[in-house]
Amino acid sequence: MTRKNQYHHGDLKNALIQAGIEILSREGVNGLSLRKVARRAGVSHAAPYAHFADKQELVAAISTEGYKEIYERVYGAVQRHQGEPLRQLVEAAWAYVEFALNDPDHFKITLSGAVEKEKDYPALVEITQKSFNLVVELVAAAQRAGILRAGPPDLMAVSVWGLVHGFTLLILEDQISHTVLDRYKLKEMLIFSLDQITTVDIDPQAFI
Amino acid sequence: MTRKNQYHHGDLKNALIQAGIEILSREGVNGLSLRKVARRAGVSHAAPYAHFADKQELVAAISTEGYKEIYERVYGAVQRHQGEPLRQLVEAAWAYVEFALNDPDHFKITLSGAVEKEKDYPALVEITQKSFNLVVELVAAAQRAGILRAGPPDLMAVSVWGLVHGFTLLILEDQISHTVLDRYKLKEMLIFSLDQITTVDIDPQAFI
DNA sequence: CTCAAAATTTGACACTGTCAAGATTGTAGC
DNA sequence: GCTACAATCTTGACAGTGTCAAATTTTGAG
């Protein structure tokens, strides 16, 4: 049986990642410590060092997991609305925002580059590029449909992703004046933002 | 003489904030510790507690300082191009990006909501709102000039700020594929993004 | 000059990331 | 089966951290 490593714990590496994600959503970024992760996984405080060189590497793994979930959510939205480029754009963006709202600290640690640039974590780099390519495809389809203006799709992808990412962060970090927030629903606001960048007028009612 | 507090150190509170900002740009977010800040200011490890209730409060003060500098840079750009709404928009956005590039970790700690939402820090809240209002004015002026579409200026401000903020973070966090980065200058890319949201076509050459 | 308040130091505590040394376990080769 | 070896995990230690209580020093008001 070529099962996964079944030494003492079974599959400690993933258990640690999972424990980290749980602590993250329960206690926030400041509550995340290697020792607490180990405790929650039921191993001694130095056990993680058999699987991660240091804390950064655990964080990188947690980030990778976060990226994967974002990718799946966004990809799901794209698949669900095949042939409707506008709807694809709106729902993909909304999926992104929804993940951030569901698990703010996991989202933050994933996208806020807590990972040092010096070392590179191959799995993280891979899913990062895969995600960017997804956006590029999404954007290219929208361009073909005349919903976004012409231009280099990768540059356009930066614009669209930037818009959505910035919107998400401003909401998450409570940077938006509450007099604004009280008057609009989040998805309405997101659509309003997307509306600025598209060539067609979006009817918010069609998406809420 | 109603000079500032001239007890032992003189003006320790600001010295600590300054020391924190320096450590931040030298050693990054992970290198920032209360004790190191105290050491750099030449006081004992618990001295900061006379001026800050806890580390969060120091971070909040550093964030406030960061926000002030961003405000001044952006406000300066707005003043420098009075009567040229498009130029105002572009240069204000570029000022934002430039601060982030100059002092990435100060920018991150300022905008990445390291501050807990529970407690509120009045000075931070004030400069946050002041900054948002500046964007609203900037956007309203652009709308009057027909450069941005009509619509609630505060909503439009969220869109514009979101676009610029997202762009900045994606650059900062190295989230943009390098094959894209190599082909374009940053200001070019920023203008391309802004171009998507404006009603008029922007000539990048006019700004570089 | 006195004295209380403000500012700072000293010492302690629990917690953290990390490493070295040892103990335990599974696996491969015989 | 046995033996070696590598992977996995524990134990113990170290310096550094945030925070607090107590003692100390300094300041300015009366």
Side-chain angles (χ1 to χ4, degrees), chain A:
Chain A
M1 293 275 100
T2 54
R3 188 82 61 83
K4 288 282 178 67
N5 310 343
Q6 289 281 4
Y7 293 94
H8 296 74
H9 178 281
D11 190 8
L12 183 57
K13 182 165 184 172
N14 286 321
L16 291 170
I17 296 175
Q18 204 52 41
I21 293 175
E22 282 165 21
I23 291 176
L24 214 44
S25 51
R26 250 179 267 279
E27 310 182 33
V29 180
N30 286 342
L32 182 68
S33 82
L34 260 185
R35 294 173 100 107
K36 216 180 283 181
V37 166
R39 222 173 298 141
R40 176 172 268 266
V43 292
S44 78
H45 66 261
Y49 283 85
H51 303 276
F52 303 99
D54 52 16
K55 191 185 178 184
Q56 282 288 330
E57 212 168 294
L58 208 215
V59 172
I62 292 176
S63 294
T64 306
E65 218 53 38
Y67 241 118
K68 280 184 184 166
E69 192 171 332
I70 293 174
Y71 180 88
E72 275 163 29
R73 282 172 179 251
V74 172
Y75 185 74
V78 171
Q79 287 302 102
R80 231 179 297 125
H81 303 288
Q82 208 69 30
E84 307 171 88
L86 181 59
R87 195 159 221 111
Q88 276 184 324
L89 202 62
V90 171
E91 298 299 343
W94 182 239
Y96 192 85
V97 174
E98 267 190 324
F99 172 72
L101 293 176
N102 265 354
D103 214 340
D105 287 284
H106 195 187
F107 177 83
K108 277 188 221 168
I109 220 171
T110 300
L111 270 294
S112 259
V115 183
E116 304 287 337
K117 294 129 207 153
E118 301 126 24
K119 300 183 177 182
D120 54 340
Y121 305 95
L124 183 55
V125 170
E126 188 193 332
I127 187 67
T128 300
Q129 287 172 351
K130 198 174 159 193
S131 299
F132 186 72
N133 289 338
L134 179 62
V135 178
V136 172
E137 283 172 35
L138 187 62
V139 161
Q143 285 179 316
R144 283 193 298 273
I147 286 166
L148 291 175
R149 309 178 198 185
D154 46 10
L155 257 189
M156 186 67 82
V158 173
S159 302
V160 172
W161 190 6
L163 182 72
V164 175
H165 184 61
F167 176 82
T168 307
L169 275 188
L170 290 179
I171 295 296
L172 225 52
E173 307 303 1
D174 216 23
Q175 229 85 23
I176 304 293
S177 156
H178 275 242
T179 64
V180 180
L181 275 178
D182 290 346
R183 261 183 300 137
Y184 304 95
K185 289 189 184 128
L186 278 184
K187 198 169 180 181
E188 244 181 299
M189 291 178 66
L190 174 66
I191 291 175
F192 182 90
S193 281
L194 286 172
D195 200 13
Q196 303 308 314
I197 215 172
T198 58
T199 56
V200 298
D201 281 343
I202 311 180
D203 174 23
Q205 296 310 320
F207 293 94
I208 295 174

Side-chain angles (χ1 to χ4, degrees), chain B residues 77-97:
Chain B
V78 171
Q79 287 302 102
R80 229 176 295 121
H81 303 287
Q82 207 68 30
E84 307 171 87
L86 181 59
R87 196 160 220 112
Q88 276 185 324
L89 202 63
V90 171
E91 298 300 344
W94 182 239
Y96 192 85
V97 175

Side-chain angles (χ1 to χ4, degrees), chain B residues 7-9 12 44-46 51:
Chain B
Y7 295 93
H8 296 72
H9 177 281
L12 183 56
S44 78
H45 65 261
H51 303 276

